Amino acid sequence: MYAQMVDTGAKKLRSPEEMTPEERAFQARVDADIKIEPKDWMPEAYRKTLIRQISQHAHSEIVGMLPEGNWITRAPTLQRKAILMAKVQDEAGHGLYLYCAAETLGVSRDQMVADLHSGKAKYSSIFNYPTLTWADIGAIGWLVDGAAIMNQIPLCRCSFGPYSRAMIRVCKEESFHQRQGFDIMIKLCRGTPEQKAMAQDALNRWWWPSLMMFGPPDASSVHSAQSAQWKIKILSNDELRQRFIEQTVPQADFLGITMPDPDLKWNPERGHYDFGAIDWSELYEVVKGNGPCNRDRLRARVEAWENGAWVREAALAHAAKRAAAAEKAA
Amino acid sequence: MSREWPLWEIFIRSQHGLAHKHVGSLHAPDAEMAIKNARDVYTRRNEGVSIWAVRSSEIAASSPGEKGPLFEPASSKVYRHPTFFPMPDEVKHI
């Protein structure tokens, strides 16, 4: 979700007999829920997949600051502005926790940033949609952060220690994000008819992209099976999506707004909500780089990195100069 | 591409009387900036009263391969735990 469609390099799932003794011992540890730590032996494909997954997750946090940052200067009250700044600052923090976790696997921060900027590394499709009105800030907190929590809570139990610990920190903070979003939605839905219409419009635009965040149906994906065996993916895309729908529909009922899906209805036989077909071609287009804001987002990141280069260099030069002076004085 | 800022390990004391605990790492050009960055990254919700920043390259760590020789000798010395010595019920305050 924050990491979608992560390639594991696997062609098929291997049986214990096909594994080397080291791989078997590794898998036994994973099966016994013993965390893998950075210095432990791990299959190269596990390491590479985790770098892809964690860096994609980190990039999503960082790029995710852009659509929300768009509204900081125009938040309706000073308090809303302070809250939104705190939320966006949290996203930066979450990105940093995750970059650190990925770095324990032997990839450098600069390499990860370079891969984002070259388009080699992805970030979540959801951040390629524009935030057109203030209601979008409500919808993002409620739906996007809600979907993120759904995905990240199981990841607290994932097999890689540093990733698991980062997820625990993130989850502790994320609930504030979802609630501040829902609070914005409540205010709008209890406001004027125009304000309520804004809330409905935001839900209309964010609902389907939020469902796509969980990724395509994965029942038959070899990558999902491999990630599940390694316990770096705990629940399937479809399971998470269904849970998200189940949790969110009653919340929309409370707000008095409706999902833009005529096929969405409770199925008493299944004990679940049925919902309409998702247009997967849209997700694939957005992931390919053709969403409404892909180019803007990447340009903003590259510009921030390039414009900050002299600061990073100056700080290093200053530190070196001070260290040299201290050595001379000693 | 210029040189990357060095990596620092961050330890936070959550309350007076408790030990500093490792919380994660971050990049910073020097110790002063490491502590400032740690304030923003790891204590946004009053998590700490004190920060230590240590250059990651300065940390020596035991390797997983040494786990046996390092830690196994302790596992047979169960008499180091008070529960090894059952005390008669009538004996109090011990």
Side-chain angles (χ1 to χ4, degrees):
Chain A
M1 65 113 31
Y2 266 30
Q4 294 161 320
M5 301 190 279
V6 177
D7 186 345
T8 58
K11 300 275 182 293
K12 70 183 218 20
L13 213 52
R14 298 188 317 146
S15 67
E17 296 74 44
E18 294 169 284
M19 293 179 184
T20 66
E22 276 169 321
E23 286 173 319
R24 262 199 303 277
F26 170 86
Q27 189 59 48
R29 269 187 79 166
V30 170
D31 292 342
D33 285 327
I34 300 170
K35 296 272 185 258
I36 306 300
E37 294 296 338
K39 288 189 152 194
D40 294 333
W41 185 89
M42 61 185 83
E44 191 54 18
Y46 175 85
R47 196 181 69 82
K48 282 191 173 153
T49 303
L50 267 179
I51 290 175
R52 263 185 228 120
Q53 178 170 338
I54 302 173
S55 68
Q56 193 183 122
H57 199 153
H59 297 326
S60 299
E61 302 283 355
I62 300 300
V63 177
M65 296 163 79
L66 297 170
E68 294 187 295
N70 181 34
W71 279 90
I72 288 177
T73 55
R74 289 171 288 161
T77 67
L78 188 56
Q79 193 187 37
R80 290 281 183 203
K81 181 173 176 158
I83 293 169
L84 184 56
M85 284 202 297
K87 200 228 170 208
V88 172
Q89 194 190 13
D90 270 356
E91 305 299 359
H94 296 177
L96 294 177
Y97 307 156
L98 286 157
Y99 281 131
C100 289
E103 284 175 88
T104 66
L105 291 160
V107 64
S108 75
R109 180 79 59 95
D110 280 354
Q111 185 60 52
M112 286 188 274
V113 170
D115 286 347
L116 172 69
H117 294 174
S118 72
K120 187 180 164 213
K122 301 288 181 206
Y123 55 88
S124 176
S125 56
I126 195 78
F127 302 117
N128 291 311
Y129 291 86
T131 42
L132 304 179
T133 74
W134 172 251
D136 289 15
I137 300 305
I140 287 180
W142 172 37
L143 301 173
V144 176
D145 290 291
I149 292 171
M150 199 109 252
N151 179 56
Q152 288 168 169
I153 285 180
L155 281 177
C156 292
R157 293 183 280 118
C158 78
S159 63
F160 187 56
Y163 194 25
S164 147
R165 292 190 284 275
M167 283 295 96
I168 291 168
R169 285 193 77 89
V170 167
C171 284
K172 274 188 193 160
E173 301 179 350
E174 198 87 68
S175 156
F176 143 59
H177 298 180
Q178 194 187 15
R179 286 186 176 203
Q180 67 85 35
F182 197 71
D183 186 62
I184 292 173
M185 297 303 277
I186 292 178
K187 271 285 185 313
L188 290 169
C189 290
R190 287 179 180 165
T192 63
E194 289 81 4
Q195 286 170 328
K196 189 165 182 184
M198 257 171 74
Q200 179 66 60
D201 168 63
L203 174 58
N204 291 349
R205 284 181 291 106
W206 288 93
W207 177 246
W208 291 109
S210 297
L211 295 188
M212 290 174 202
M213 280 175 75
F214 296 98
D218 57 357
S220 57
S221 158
V222 64
H223 298 308
S224 293
Q226 179 62 77
S227 293
Q229 189 184 51
W230 283 334
K231 293 195 185 167
I232 55 177
K233 183 177 186 129
I234 310 293
L235 296 171
S236 79
N237 295 351
D238 290 324
E239 258 176 301
L240 288 166
R241 186 165 20 246
Q242 186 73 45
R243 283 187 187 197
F244 175 71
I245 292 170
E246 241 97 271
Q247 157 186 302
T248 312
V249 173
Q251 294 166 351
D253 291 344
F254 175 87
L255 293 172
I257 52 181
T258 48
M259 309 311 188
D261 178 0
D263 297 324
L264 181 75
K265 55 175 165 298
W266 181 252
N267 181 334
E269 277 163 41
R270 229 160 55 87
H272 292 291
Y273 281 94
D274 290 336
F275 55 98
I278 296 173
D279 176 10
W280 293 114
S281 62
E282 177 177 325
L283 175 69
Y284 296 129
E285 276 306 306
V286 175
V287 170
K288 252 196 278 173
N290 301 323
C293 301
N294 293 57
R295 286 166 193 80
D296 279 353
R297 299 292 185 239
L298 216 50
R299 190 184 315 122
R301 286 312 314 152
V302 171
E303 273 175 16
W305 182 253
E306 286 175 355
N307 294 341
W310 72 269
V311 180
R312 294 192 299 278
E313 281 159 26
L316 263 185
H318 178 68
K321 200 169 147 188
R322 287 222 307 193
E327 202 169 309
K328 210 171 162 191
Chain B
M1 192 178 286
S2 69
R3 208 154 51 86
E4 207 170 66
W5 285 355
L7 194 64
W8 300 73
E9 298 302 321
I10 305 302
F11 300 80
I12 305 276
R13 165 182 281 162
S14 58
Q15 286 171 46
H16 290 293
L18 295 182
H20 285 75
K21 192 168 170 260
H22 183 243
V23 291
S25 54
L26 51 76
H27 290 271
D30 57 26
E32 195 185 333
M33 284 298 295
I35 288 174
K36 284 188 171 141
N37 289 351
R39 199 273 313 247
D40 290 341
V41 180
Y42 292 109
T43 67
R44 290 192 302 280
R45 288 174 175 76
N46 293 314
E47 288 94 337
V49 294
S50 163
I51 298 171
W52 286 352
V54 183
R55 284 282 281 263
S56 307
S57 56
E58 298 294 317
I59 290 187
S62 64
S63 83
E66 292 172 290
K67 208 168 77 187
L70 279 178
F71 305 116
E72 262 165 25
S75 62
S76 60
K77 297 173 179 61
V78 285
Y79 42 81
R80 281 177 172 152
H81 296 280
T83 45
F84 180 75
F85 307 94
M87 289 290 123
D89 284 347
E90 52 273 41
V91 178
K92 303 295 177 200
H93 308 299
I94 185 158

